Amino acid sequence: MTTDPRYPSLTFRQDYFDDPAAWAALVSLLQDTFGIDLDPLRRLGGADPTSMPFGWFDDQGTLVANLSAFAMPIVINGRVVRAGAFQSGAVRPEWRGRGLYGDVTRKALEWCAAQQFEAIVLYTDKPALYEPYGFRALPFHAYSGPAPEAPTSTAAARSLDPTVAEDLDLLRRTLRTRTPVSDVIAVRESAAMFLINTQFDRDVRLSWLANERAVIAWKSEAEDRFVLVDVVAEVIPPLSAILGGLGIEATSIEVLFSPDKLGCELLAQPLQSYTHFMIRCETPFVLDVPAMLSPMADF
Ligand SMILES: CC(C)(COP(=O)(O)OP(=O)(O)OC[C@H]1O[C@@H](n2cnc3c(N)ncnc32)[C@H](O)[C@@H]1OP(=O)(O)O)[C@@H](O)C(=O)NCCC(=O)NCCS
């Protein structure tokens, strides 16, 4: 814990997730700022074990400013990049405009430098906030097209519910041994993000394909439109096997990651989203082909 003459009534703490009251203060800050509830993460195995939160607390224990960093190894253009990521960046309204966010950003950047991350990534609706620190937006593309012929599967898919112990176990085991869903851009594991995103987007369904030993995260937007959100498996099955295994008879498909391992032809179009994925790295690069990070890795 440290103090700073610029904020005499506040105390700075980092790495505070082991303190239940401080965790609750973060849950409250994110609820008040973004309307999201991070607390279910505790029942889903907890925050990413590499998490390093940086926060300013008042004397009531209220968290008034925060930014969390964590390790997020990511495959980019076929290579595993040792990346760090920023999330949970927020300052309570009455404390804004006093340099608190700049302060936690600098502290998080210093921590990332000490970890020797090759890159830092984040999502934001305010890219201007991060451009002065060398972050730049990476445009994302989703893929769509007509559905391929799907063979009839012999084994029916099983729905998974991460709040059921047995299903959570299966999910966590499969996440641990997953292969990146794409070689263009994809996370290597990021289990905590996957699990909490199942709670944030209730339209996403999870199904277990026993033959393929694959967890499929998917949505059905209209009766005949199938949206593939993510695939967690040691070997990524072809799209036709996924559709067959799920027993889906869609006419059109959307895939929210690069389908380079799916064995199908789909067309890329720019992703319409209010948030931007930003990256800070030594050497600027472009993605080999249009792509996006699965929303199940969103953080
Ligand atoms: C955005 C937010 C974190 C800024 O917090 P803050 O403590 O007021 O920021 P600071 O006073 O440390 O300002 C840091 C810098 O960011 C700039 N900045 C502040 N708000 C900004 C915004 N909305 N857009 C772009 N730049 C902004 C400031 O001008 C300042 O620039 P300077 O260093 O050149 O003076 C705060 O307004 C907030 O919590 N907003 C809601 C949640 C959110 O948007 N989170 C971050 C996005 S992921």
Side-chain angles (χ1 to χ4, degrees):
M1 287 194 200
T2 53
T3 52
D4 186 314
R6 287 173 300 168
Y7 317 111
S9 62
L10 301 181
T11 304
F12 173 75
R13 292 176 66 183
Q14 74 180 61
D15 199 10
Y16 59 77
F17 281 176
D18 288 344
D19 173 357
W23 169 262
L26 174 67
V27 171
S28 159
L29 174 67
L30 299 183
Q31 182 75 62
D32 294 348
T33 310
F34 302 111
I36 56 167
D37 182 9
L38 200 64
D39 208 37
L41 198 48
R42 279 192 305 138
R43 295 189 296 278
L44 297 172
D48 189 291
T50 66
S51 295
M52 180 54 67
F54 301 87
W56 284 97
F57 293 78
D58 72 10
D59 51 11
Q60 308 294 304
T62 302
L63 182 56
V64 303
N66 188 79
L67 181 62
S68 303
F70 62 103
M72 196 174 111
I74 198 169
V75 169
I76 298 178
N77 294 338
R79 185 173 83 79
V80 178
V81 175
R82 282 182 306 102
F86 286 173
Q87 66 177 175
S88 309
V91 176
R92 288 198 178 272
E94 59 278 25
W95 284 95
R96 290 179 189 166
R98 304 194 210 179
L100 279 168
Y101 200 61
D103 180 81
V104 287
T105 303
R106 280 185 294 278
K107 288 178 160 110
L109 287 171
E110 275 165 28
W111 181 78
C112 288
Q115 307 301 306
Q116 299 186 320
F117 289 137
E118 298 170 76
I120 308 172
V121 297
L122 56 82
Y123 283 94
T124 185
D125 61 344
K126 302 180 180 70
L129 198 57
Y130 300 100
E131 280 159 1
Y133 300 102
F135 287 86
R136 67 190 177 88
L138 194 64
F140 273 173
H141 289 76
Y143 279 78
S144 61
E149 280 285 314
T152 318
S153 174
T154 46
R158 173 162 90 73
S159 274
L160 294 177
D161 177 351
T163 63
V164 172
E166 182 195 337
D167 290 0
L168 178 59
D169 228 49
L170 176 62
L171 276 166
R172 293 183 68 193
R173 269 187 280 125
T174 316
L175 281 160
R176 257 198 304 276
T177 54
R178 79 182 298 186
T179 195
V181 72
S182 152
D183 277 336
V184 185
I185 185 164
V187 291
R188 213 184 55 191
E189 184 179 341
S190 288
M193 259 4 92
F194 184 97
L195 292 170
I196 192 66
N197 279 318
T198 64
Q199 306 302 295
F200 287 163
D201 187 348
R202 294 307 189 138
D203 292 337
V204 172
R205 303 191 217 174
L206 299 179
S207 302
W208 172 247
L209 301 187
N211 284 349
E212 289 75 14
R213 304 201 55 75
V215 174
I216 312 298
W218 61 283
K219 296 192 222 189
S220 176
E221 273 182 353
E223 214 168 275
D224 55 354
R225 187 167 179 84
F226 173 81
V227 182
L228 182 57
V229 185
D230 203 354
V231 180
V232 183
E234 272 184 65
V235 178
I236 304 300
L239 181 59
S240 54
I242 293 173
L243 292 172
L246 293 174
I248 296 276
E249 286 177 23
T251 52
S252 73
I253 300 281
E254 187 171 9
V255 177
L256 301 185
F257 53 87
S258 162
D260 47 287
K261 296 186 178 177
L262 288 179
C264 61
E265 292 290 324
L266 296 167
L267 275 179
Q269 352 23 67
L271 181 73
Q272 308 299 332
S273 172
Y274 72 99
T275 55
H276 303 261
F277 178 82
M278 299 188 87
I279 185 158
R280 178 192 199 254
C281 53
E282 286 273 305
T283 321
F285 69 93
V286 288
L287 293 175
D288 287 343
V289 295
M292 65 180 283
L293 207 55
S294 159
M296 298 309 283
D298 204 333
F299 50 90

